[in-house]
C-alpha cells in the first residue's frame, strides 16, 4: 500500500483546510442559523464530495483524499458538530438538517451538482439528500450504509436512550475509542496511537459529545429509507465482507427499497472499508465515476460549477453530460513496419491487457454470494438490528452508525451489580 503512504501522515486540524459559513433552517417556522463548515478541497475535475459518518470527521478519508484529488475536485467536509465544524446551538442534527447543510454548503461553493461518496450513517445522510435534491447529485456511492445495530458495542447503543446517553457521553476515553475502532475493522493493527488520537481529539470536549448524542437520537433510518424509495437515481452500494456492524446481507433490504441499485462486496474488509482496503475502494470509485482525461479538462468543468465564468457553449451541464472536447489524434505504433525490420513484438500476459472491472477477483456480486438459507436469521433491518436497544429508548428513535463501548466489559459490570 505504498501509494497510500500519504494517508499515514494525513491529519485533520482546524489549522489546515478552509471554512465556509452556511445558513441552514433549523426549525419548521423558518428559523435559521449560521454554521461554520470545515473542509478540505484539492484537485481539478468533476466535484466529488466525501461525507463521513456520525462520530467521525473527514480524517476517515485520509488514504483516499490525495489519490482521488489526482482525477477529481475532491471536497471532504466535517459535518456540523463533528471534526472542526461549529456546534450550532439550535441545531437538532436531524436528517433534514443534515441534508440542508449539504445543500447550503454546495451553494456557497458554487457547485450546481456533484458526485458523492458517503460512509455508514453519512451514506444515509447522502441518500436523504439525494431524495430531496436529486438534481444536485450525479453518481453516488454508499459504503456500508445503515444505522445502529445490536452488533455494535453497548456504549454507542446507550446513546439512543435519553437517560443513559447523559452518562455514557461522559465516560468514554481515548482508550475506549481505540477499542471501538479495532472492533469495527478486520485488521486490528490499522489503528495505531496516532490514528486513534485523530479520532478522539475532535470528540473529547463536552459540546461535541452533546452533539453526538443528539445526532444519534435524531438519526431516523426509517424516514431516510421511506424517502429514497421514490428515487430512480442509481446508487452503488458496497460492504466489507467481514463487516460485523452492518451485515453485508443488508443488501437484501436495500434491494427492496432502491429502484436502481448496484451491490458489491470487498473481501478482507470489515466496517470501515475505505481505511482498511483503500486501494480497492479507489478502484471502485474510479471505475464507477467517470474520469475526464486531463487534455479535455480545459474550459469543461465550469459548465457545471457555477463560478460566474461564461463558457463557449453558454450552457450549464450536469457532471457527465457536458460535451468533452476531442483529444488530438496521436501517432499510432505501426506493428507491421516494426516487424518488417526484423524486430519481435513483445507479448504481454492477458491479465495486463484486461480492463479493470468491478467483477474482478476482489469484488463479488452480493446477490450471488449471499443467498439466505431457510435456517439463517433474516437479513436486512430486522427487529434485532434496528429496534430500540432498551426499554428506555423511544420507539421512534432510529439507528446510527459508529462506535460503542466494550459490550463484554459492560455486561460484566451489570452482572456484578445484580449480585451485589
Amino acid at each position: 500500500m505504498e501509494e497510500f503512504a500519504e494517508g499515514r501522515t494525513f491529519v485533520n486540524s482546524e489549522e489546515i483546510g478552509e471554512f465556509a459559513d452556511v445558513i441552514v433552517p433549523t426549525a419548521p417556522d423558518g428559523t435559521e442559523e449560521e454554521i461554520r463548515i470545515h473542509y478540505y478541497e484539492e484537485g481539478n475535475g468533476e466535484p466529488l464530495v466525501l461525507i463521513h459518518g456520525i462520530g467521525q470527521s473527514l480524517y476517515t478519508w485520509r488514504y483516499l483524499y490525495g489519490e482521488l484529488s489526482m482525477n477529481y475536485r475532491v471536497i471532504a467536509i466535517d459535518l456540523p458538530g463533528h471534526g472542526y465544524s461549529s456546534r450550532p446551538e439550535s441545531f437538532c442534527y436531524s436528517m433534514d438538517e443534515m441534508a440542508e447543510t449539504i445543500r447550503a454548503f454546495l451553494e456557497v461553493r458554487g457547485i450546481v451538482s456533484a458526485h458523492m461518496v458517503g460512509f455508514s450513517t453519512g451514506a444515509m445522510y447522502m441518500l436523504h439528500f439525494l431524495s430531496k435534491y436529486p438534481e444536485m447529485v450525479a453518481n453516488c456511492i454508499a459504503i456500508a450504509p445503515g444505522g445502529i445495530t445490536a452488533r455494535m458495542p453497548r456504549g454507542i447503543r446507550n446513546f439512543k436512550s435519553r437517560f443513559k446517553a447523559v452518562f455514557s457521553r461522559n465516560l468514554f476515553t481515548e482508550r475506549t475509542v481505540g477499542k471501538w475502532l479495532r472492533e469495527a475493522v478486520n485488521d486490528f493493527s490499522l489503528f495505531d496511537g496516532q490514528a486513534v488520537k485523530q479520532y478522539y481529539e475532535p470528540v473529547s470536549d463536552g459540546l461535541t459529545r452533546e452533539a453526538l448524542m443528539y445526532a444519534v437520537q435524531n438519526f431516523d433510518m426509517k424516514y431516510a429509507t421511506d424517502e429514497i424509495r421514490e428515487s430512480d437515481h442509481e446508487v452503488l452500494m458496497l460492504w466489507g465482507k467481514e463487516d460485523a456492524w452492518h451485515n453485508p446481507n443488508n443488501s437484501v433490504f436495500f434491494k427492496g427499497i432502491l429502484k436502481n441499485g448496484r451491490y458489491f462486496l470487498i473481501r478482507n474488509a470489515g466496517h470501515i472499508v475505505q481505511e482498511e482496503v483503500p486501494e480497492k475502494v479507489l478502484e471502485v470509485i474510479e471505475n464507477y465515476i467517470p474520469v475526464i482525461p486531463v487534455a479535455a479538462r480545459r474550459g469543461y468543468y465550469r459548465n457545471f460549477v457555477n463560478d460566474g465564468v461564461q463558457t463557449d457553449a453558454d450552457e450549464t451541464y450536469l457532471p457527465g453530460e457536458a460535451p468533452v472536447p476531442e483529444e488530438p489524434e496521436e501517432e499510432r505504433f505501426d506493428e507491421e513496419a516494426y516487424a518488417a525490420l526484423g524486430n519481435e513484438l513483445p507479448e504481454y500476459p492477458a491479465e495486463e491487457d484486461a480492463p479493470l472491472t468491478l467483477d474482478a477477483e476482489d469484488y463479488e456480486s452480493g446477490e450471488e454470494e449471499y443467498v439466505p438459507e431457510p435456517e439463517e436469521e433474516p437479513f436486512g433491518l430486522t427487529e434485532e438490528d434496528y429496534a430500540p436497544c432498551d426499554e428506555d429508548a423511544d420507539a421512534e428513535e432510529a439507528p446510527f452508525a459508529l462506535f460503542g463501548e466494550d459490550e463484554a466489559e459492560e455486561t460484566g459490570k451489570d452482572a456484578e451489580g445484580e449480585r451485589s
Side-chain angles (χ1 to χ4, degrees):
M1 203 166 65
E2 295 181 1
E3 66 271 32
F4 295 93
E6 182 181 345
R8 300 189 184 95
T9 58
F10 184 100
V11 295
N12 185 16
S13 169
E14 60 183 338
E15 304 298 329
I16 306 175
E18 305 290 339
F19 288 89
D21 294 326
V22 303
I23 305 297
V24 178
T26 58
D29 61 3
T31 303
E32 296 180 333
E33 183 167 359
E34 184 175 85
I35 303 174
R36 199 175 191 218
I37 299 297
H38 177 244
Y39 68 97
Y40 286 6
E41 180 174 343
E42 188 175 346
N44 296 301
E46 297 192 356
L48 173 60
V49 179
L50 306 178
I51 304 173
H52 64 78
I54 295 176
Q56 293 184 304
S57 71
L58 60 80
Y59 180 73
T60 192
W61 306 109
R62 66 188 188 276
Y63 289 119
L64 293 176
Y65 180 79
E67 295 294 321
L68 289 172
S69 67
M70 299 175 66
N71 292 311
Y72 309 97
R73 174 188 172 186
V74 181
I75 305 169
I77 66 173
D78 281 336
L79 292 172
H82 296 72
Y84 297 99
S85 292
S86 63
R87 281 67 169 143
E89 293 182 4
S90 61
F91 204 75
C92 296
Y93 302 92
S94 67
M95 306 299 290
D96 286 336
E97 288 178 340
M98 288 297 196
E100 290 300 325
T101 300
I102 297 172
R103 175 200 56 78
F105 175 80
L106 293 179
E107 290 180 354
V108 166
R109 297 298 302 139
I111 299 173
V112 176
S113 177
H115 304 293
M116 294 188 177
V117 179
F119 168 67
S120 198
T121 44
M124 298 310 302
Y125 290 143
M126 177 192 71
L127 292 178
H128 187 58
F129 175 79
L130 170 62
S131 68
K132 292 173 67 68
Y133 302 103
E135 72 282 358
M136 300 185 73
V137 182
N139 295 297
C140 60
I141 300 176
I143 301 175
I148 202 167
T149 70
R151 296 180 177 88
M152 291 180 178
R154 182 184 299 272
I156 270 292
R157 289 182 282 142
N158 284 344
F159 271 71
K160 293 183 62 181
S161 166
R162 289 182 173 86
F163 174 74
K164 293 183 178 180
V166 174
F167 300 97
S168 294
R169 73 186 189 188
N170 297 319
L171 295 179
F172 66 85
T173 64
E174 183 173 338
R175 180 181 177 185
T176 311
V177 170
K179 289 182 180 179
W180 297 343
L181 288 169
R182 295 181 184 104
E183 286 183 14
V185 296
N186 193 44
D187 180 5
F188 301 153
S189 65
L190 179 65
F191 290 101
D192 56 16
Q194 173 63 21
V196 173
K197 183 178 181 180
Q198 279 287 303
Y199 263 89
Y200 179 73
E201 283 186 346
V203 299
S204 59
D205 64 280
L207 284 177
T208 303
R209 296 187 181 202
E210 183 178 28
L212 294 181
M213 179 185 71
Y214 288 125
V216 172
Q217 293 177 359
N218 293 317
F219 182 86
D220 195 334
M221 184 77 176
K222 185 178 186 302
Y223 177 45
T225 53
D226 286 347
E227 292 291 310
I228 199 63
R229 288 178 188 272
E230 304 303 319
S231 176
D232 294 321
H233 200 292
E234 181 175 282
V235 179
L236 174 65
M237 293 192 166
L238 63 91
W239 286 265
K241 191 173 182 180
E242 283 74 40
D243 190 338
W245 286 10
H246 286 168
N247 195 309
N249 290 316
N250 285 337
S251 62
V252 176
F253 170 78
F254 284 102
K255 285 177 183 177
I257 293 175
L258 296 176
K259 294 181 179 180
N260 196 6
R262 299 176 63 185
Y263 310 89
F264 292 92
L265 299 176
I266 296 183
R267 295 177 179 174
N268 303 316
H271 183 60
I272 315 179
V273 188
Q274 69 276 7
E275 298 188 46
E276 298 180 71
V277 284
E279 68 282 2
K280 296 178 182 178
V281 175
L282 178 67
E283 182 184 352
V284 171
I285 293 174
E286 292 184 342
N287 272 274
Y288 188 67
I289 300 178
V291 175
I292 304 301
V294 175
R297 291 180 182 174
R298 182 176 299 175
Y300 168 66
Y301 295 105
R302 291 191 177 116
N303 284 322
F304 58 87
V305 176
N306 186 14
D307 58 4
V309 179
Q310 201 74 5
T311 66
D312 294 338
D314 290 332
E315 294 185 49
T316 299
Y317 299 97
L318 296 178
E321 294 182 358
V324 181
E326 294 184 4
E327 294 189 47
E329 188 172 334
E330 298 181 359
E331 201 172 309
R332 296 183 178 276
F333 175 68
D334 191 335
E335 296 184 2
E336 293 184 1
Y338 184 79
L341 296 175
N343 298 312
E344 293 185 2
L345 295 175
E347 294 184 1
Y348 296 97
E351 61 268 22
E352 292 189 13
D353 294 329
L356 295 176
T357 171
L358 292 180
D359 292 321
E361 179 182 358
D362 291 318
Y363 306 94
E364 300 177 354
S365 166
E367 184 175 1
E368 296 176 1
E369 179 69 19
Y370 287 93
V371 178
E373 298 292 338
E375 64 274 9
E376 293 182 345
E377 62 181 30
F379 299 136
L381 300 182
T382 64
E383 181 178 353
E384 176 189 359
D385 288 341
Y386 292 95
C389 302
D390 52 61
E391 296 179 356
D392 296 327
D394 293 339
E396 294 298 326
E397 295 176 345
F400 129 83
L402 216 121
F403 311 146
E405 210 165 285
D406 186 82
E407 188 167 355
E409 181 179 346
E410 290 291 324
T411 304
K413 291 180 179 180
D414 292 345
E416 183 178 348
E418 292 178 1
R419 289 194 297 271
S420 60

Coordinates of all heavy atoms in Angstrom, one line a residue, residues 98-135:
M98 N -29.3 17.9 8.3 CA -28.0 17.4 7.7 C -28.1 17.6 6.1 O -27.1 18.1 5.5 CB -27.7 16.0 8.0 CG -27.3 15.8 9.5 SD -25.7 16.6 9.9 CE -25.3 15.8 11.4
A99 N -29.2 17.3 5.6 CA -29.4 17.4 4.1 C -29.3 18.9 3.7 O -28.7 19.3 2.7 CB -30.7 16.8 3.7
E100 N -30.0 19.8 4.5 CA -30.0 21.2 4.2 C -28.5 21.8 4.4 O -28.2 22.7 3.6 CB -30.9 21.9 5.2 CG -32.4 21.6 4.9 CD -32.8 22.0 3.5 OE1 -32.3 23.0 2.9 OE2 -33.6 21.3 2.9
T101 N -27.8 21.2 5.3 CA -26.4 21.7 5.4 C -25.6 21.4 4.2 O -24.8 22.2 3.7 CB -25.7 21.0 6.7 OG1 -26.5 21.4 7.9 CG2 -24.3 21.5 6.8
I102 N -25.7 20.1 3.7 CA -25.0 19.8 2.5 C -25.4 20.7 1.3 O -24.6 21.1 0.5 CB -25.3 18.3 2.1 CG1 -24.7 17.4 3.3 CG2 -24.6 17.9 0.8 CD1 -25.1 15.9 3.1
R103 N -26.7 20.9 1.2 CA -27.2 21.8 0.1 C -26.6 23.2 0.2 O -26.1 23.7 -0.8 CB -28.8 21.9 0.1 CG -29.3 22.9 -0.9 CD -30.7 23.3 -0.5 NE -30.8 23.9 0.9 CZ -30.5 25.1 1.2 NH1 -30.0 25.9 0.3 NH2 -30.6 25.5 2.4
A104 N -26.7 23.8 1.4 CA -26.2 25.1 1.6 C -24.7 25.2 1.3 O -24.2 26.2 0.8 CB -26.5 25.6 3.0
F105 N -24.0 24.2 1.7 CA -22.5 24.1 1.5 C -22.2 24.1 0.0 O -21.4 24.9 -0.5 CB -21.9 22.9 2.2 CG -20.4 22.8 1.9 CD1 -19.5 23.5 2.6 CD2 -20.0 21.9 0.9 CE1 -18.1 23.4 2.3 CE2 -18.6 21.8 0.6 CZ -17.7 22.5 1.3
L106 N -22.9 23.3 -0.8 CA -22.7 23.2 -2.2 C -23.0 24.6 -2.8 O -22.3 25.0 -3.8 CB -23.5 22.1 -2.8 CG -23.1 20.7 -2.4 CD1 -24.1 19.7 -3.1 CD2 -21.7 20.4 -2.8
E107 N -24.1 25.2 -2.4 CA -24.4 26.5 -3.0 C -23.4 27.6 -2.7 O -23.0 28.4 -3.5 CB -25.8 26.9 -2.5 CG -26.9 26.1 -3.0 CD -28.3 26.5 -2.5 OE1 -28.3 27.4 -1.6 OE2 -29.3 26.0 -3.0
V108 N -22.9 27.6 -1.4 CA -21.8 28.5 -1.1 C -20.6 28.3 -1.9 O -19.9 29.3 -2.3 CB -21.5 28.4 0.4 CG1 -20.2 29.2 0.8 CG2 -22.7 29.0 1.3
R109 N -20.3 27.1 -2.2 CA -19.1 26.8 -3.0 C -19.4 26.9 -4.5 O -18.5 26.6 -5.3 CB -18.6 25.4 -2.7 CG -18.1 25.2 -1.3 CD -17.0 26.1 -0.9 NE -15.8 25.8 -1.8 CZ -15.1 26.8 -2.3 NH1 -15.3 28.1 -2.0 NH2 -14.0 26.5 -3.1
G110 N -20.6 27.3 -4.9 CA -20.9 27.5 -6.3 C -21.0 26.2 -7.1 O -20.8 26.2 -8.3
I111 N -21.3 25.1 -6.4 CA -21.4 23.8 -7.1 C -22.9 23.5 -7.4 O -23.7 23.4 -6.5 CB -20.8 22.7 -6.2 CG1 -19.3 23.0 -6.0 CG2 -20.9 21.3 -6.9 CD1 -18.6 22.1 -5.0
V112 N -23.2 23.3 -8.7 CA -24.5 23.0 -9.1 C -24.9 21.5 -8.9 O -26.0 21.2 -8.5 CB -24.7 23.3 -10.6 CG1 -26.1 22.9 -11.1 CG2 -24.4 24.8 -10.9
S113 N -23.9 20.7 -9.1 CA -24.1 19.2 -9.0 C -22.8 18.6 -8.7 O -21.7 19.0 -9.2 CB -24.7 18.6 -10.2 OG -24.9 17.2 -10.1
A114 N -22.8 17.5 -7.9 CA -21.5 16.8 -7.6 C -21.7 15.3 -7.4 O -22.8 14.8 -7.1 CB -21.0 17.4 -6.2
H115 N -20.6 14.6 -7.6 CA -20.6 13.2 -7.3 C -20.5 13.1 -5.8 O -19.9 14.0 -5.1 CB -19.4 12.5 -7.9 CG -19.4 12.6 -9.4 ND1 -20.3 12.0 -10.3 CD2 -18.5 13.2 -10.2 CE1 -20.0 12.3 -11.5 NE2 -18.9 13.0 -11.5
M116 N -20.9 12.0 -5.2 CA -20.8 11.9 -3.7 C -20.5 10.5 -3.3 O -20.9 9.5 -3.9 CB -22.2 12.3 -3.1 CG -22.5 13.8 -3.3 SD -24.0 14.2 -2.3 CE -24.0 16.0 -2.7
V117 N -19.7 10.4 -2.2 CA -19.4 9.1 -1.6 C -19.7 9.3 -0.1 O -19.2 10.2 0.6 CB -18.0 8.7 -1.8 CG1 -17.7 7.4 -1.1 CG2 -17.6 8.6 -3.2
G118 N -20.5 8.5 0.5 CA -20.9 8.6 1.9 C -20.6 7.3 2.6 O -20.7 6.2 2.0
F119 N -20.2 7.4 3.9 CA -19.9 6.2 4.7 C -20.9 6.0 5.9 O -21.1 7.0 6.6 CB -18.5 6.2 5.2 CG -18.1 5.2 6.2 CD1 -18.1 3.9 5.9 CD2 -17.9 5.5 7.5 CE1 -17.9 2.9 6.9 CE2 -17.6 4.6 8.5 CZ -17.6 3.3 8.2
S120 N -21.4 4.8 6.0 CA -22.2 4.4 7.2 C -23.4 5.4 7.4 O -24.2 5.5 6.4 CB -21.3 4.4 8.5 OG -21.9 3.6 9.5
T121 N -23.5 6.0 8.5 CA -24.6 7.0 8.6 C -24.5 8.1 7.7 O -25.5 8.7 7.3 CB -24.7 7.5 10.1 OG1 -23.4 7.9 10.5 CG2 -25.3 6.5 11.0
G122 N -23.2 8.5 7.3 CA -23.0 9.5 6.3 C -23.6 9.1 5.0 O -24.1 10.0 4.2
A123 N -23.6 7.8 4.7 CA -24.2 7.3 3.4 C -25.7 7.5 3.5 O -26.3 7.9 2.5 CB -23.9 5.9 3.2
M124 N -26.3 7.4 4.7 CA -27.7 7.6 4.8 C -28.1 9.1 4.7 O -29.1 9.5 4.1 CB -28.3 7.0 6.1 CG -28.1 5.5 6.2 SD -28.7 4.6 4.8 CE -30.4 5.1 4.7
Y125 N -27.2 10.0 5.2 CA -27.4 11.4 5.0 C -27.3 11.7 3.5 O -28.1 12.5 3.0 CB -26.3 12.2 5.8 CG -26.4 12.2 7.3 CD1 -25.3 12.1 8.1 CD2 -27.7 12.2 7.9 CE1 -25.4 12.2 9.5 CE2 -27.8 12.2 9.3 CZ -26.6 12.2 10.1 OH -26.7 12.2 11.4
M126 N -26.4 11.1 2.8 CA -26.3 11.3 1.4 C -27.5 10.9 0.7 O -28.0 11.6 -0.2 CB -25.0 10.6 0.9 CG -24.8 10.7 -0.6 SD -23.6 9.5 -1.2 CE -24.5 7.9 -1.0
L127 N -28.0 9.7 1.0 CA -29.2 9.2 0.3 C -30.4 10.1 0.6 O -31.3 10.3 -0.3 CB -29.5 7.8 0.8 CG -28.5 6.7 0.3 CD1 -28.8 5.3 0.8 CD2 -28.4 6.7 -1.2
H128 N -30.5 10.6 1.8 CA -31.6 11.5 2.2 C -31.5 12.8 1.4 O -32.5 13.3 0.9 CB -31.7 11.8 3.6 CG -32.9 12.6 4.1 ND1 -34.2 12.1 3.9 CD2 -33.0 13.8 4.7 CE1 -35.0 13.0 4.3 NE2 -34.3 14.0 4.8
F129 N -30.3 13.3 1.2 CA -30.0 14.5 0.4 C -30.4 14.2 -1.0 O -31.0 15.0 -1.7 CB -28.6 14.9 0.5 CG -28.2 16.0 -0.4 CD1 -28.5 17.3 -0.1 CD2 -27.5 15.8 -1.6 CE1 -28.1 18.4 -0.9 CE2 -27.2 16.8 -2.5 CZ -27.5 18.1 -2.1
L130 N -30.1 13.0 -1.5 CA -30.5 12.6 -2.9 C -32.0 12.6 -3.1 O -32.5 13.1 -4.1 CB -29.9 11.2 -3.2 CG -30.4 10.5 -4.5 CD1 -30.0 11.3 -5.7 CD2 -29.8 9.1 -4.6
S131 N -32.7 12.2 -2.1 CA -34.2 12.1 -2.2 C -34.8 13.5 -2.2 O -35.8 13.8 -2.8 CB -34.8 11.3 -1.1 OG -34.6 12.0 0.2
K132 N -34.1 14.5 -1.6 CA -34.6 15.9 -1.5 C -34.1 16.7 -2.7 O -34.9 17.6 -3.2 CB -34.2 16.5 -0.2 CG -34.9 16.0 1.0 CD -34.3 16.5 2.3 CE -34.6 18.0 2.5 NZ -36.0 18.3 2.7
Y133 N -32.9 16.5 -3.1 CA -32.3 17.3 -4.2 C -31.6 16.4 -5.2 O -30.4 16.5 -5.4 CB -31.3 18.3 -3.6 CG -31.9 19.2 -2.5 CD1 -31.7 19.0 -1.1 CD2 -32.7 20.3 -2.9 CE1 -32.2 19.8 -0.2 CE2 -33.2 21.1 -1.9 CZ -33.0 20.9 -0.6 OH -33.5 21.7 0.4
P134 N -32.4 15.6 -5.9 CA -31.8 14.7 -6.9 C -31.0 15.4 -8.0 O -30.0 14.8 -8.5 CB -33.0 14.0 -7.5 CG -34.2 14.9 -7.2 CD -33.9 15.6 -5.9
E135 N -31.4 16.6 -8.3 CA -30.7 17.4 -9.4 C -29.3 17.8 -9.0 O -28.5 18.2 -9.9 CB -31.5 18.6 -9.8 CG -31.6 19.7 -8.8 CD -32.5 19.5 -7.6 OE1 -33.2 18.5 -7.6 OE2 -32.5 20.4 -6.7

